[in-house]
Amino acid sequence: QVQLVESGGGLMQPGGSLRLSCAASGLAFSNYDMGWFRQAPGKERERVATVTWINANTYYADSVKGRFTISRDNAKNMVYLQMNTLKPEDTAVYYCAARHSTATRYNYWGQGTQVTVSS
């Protein structure tokens, strides 16, 4: 079955950097759009960044543009989120998600990794 396993979360001071990783298995990875989403306490889940299966086109939420970078390695079935200049408002559980190229919604999700930005 499809598994997405996130890693790399933790506690970081404002202005610091973290790199999240997502290892995917059980799917033809190169045929899937991949994304990072986050959910903070009391807030709705937010799409943070996505990268398409073809041409690796990227999307970023306005709140993270210029600070976060999403990338994928199809040879390793991995997707990454480099997060720089972290802010307290980036605190959330971050989820990796996958969507087949023919699907309209992300339907595979990881268990999430906590990112806390605090001094």
Side-chain angles (χ1 to χ4, degrees), residues 10-114:
L11 174 63
M12 180 56 63
Q13 291 186 342
S17 297
L18 281 173
R19 187 195 195 204
L20 304 183
S21 299
C22 173
S25 60
L27 76 172
F29 184 78
S30 60
N31 291 338
Y32 282 75
D33 296 334
M34 299 299 297
W36 287 98
F37 295 73
R38 67 186 181 187
Q39 188 166 20
K43 294 188 176 181
E44 292 188 353
R45 187 172 60 197
E46 173 189 21
R47 181 174 54 155
V48 175
T50 60
V51 57
T52 62
W53 70 280
I54 188 167
N55 296 327
N57 294 321
T58 56
Y59 158 88
Y60 296 97
D62 287 343
S63 57
V64 306
K65 276 181 184 176
R67 301 189 298 121
F68 290 11
T69 302
I70 188 171
S71 61
R72 65 188 297 160
D73 185 336
N74 287 346
K76 297 181 178 180
N77 285 13
M78 297 288 294
V79 62
Y80 307 98
L81 186 68
Q82 178 67 44
M83 306 186 295
N84 298 329
T85 319
L86 284 163
K87 304 176 180 180
E89 50 264 42
D90 294 320
T91 295
V93 178
Y94 283 71
Y95 298 91
C96 175
R99 178 180 70 185
H100 190 265
S101 58
T102 61
T104 57
R105 294 186 176 186
Y106 284 83
N107 55 345
Y108 295 111
W109 296 85
Q111 82 287 350
T113 185
Q114 176 71 46

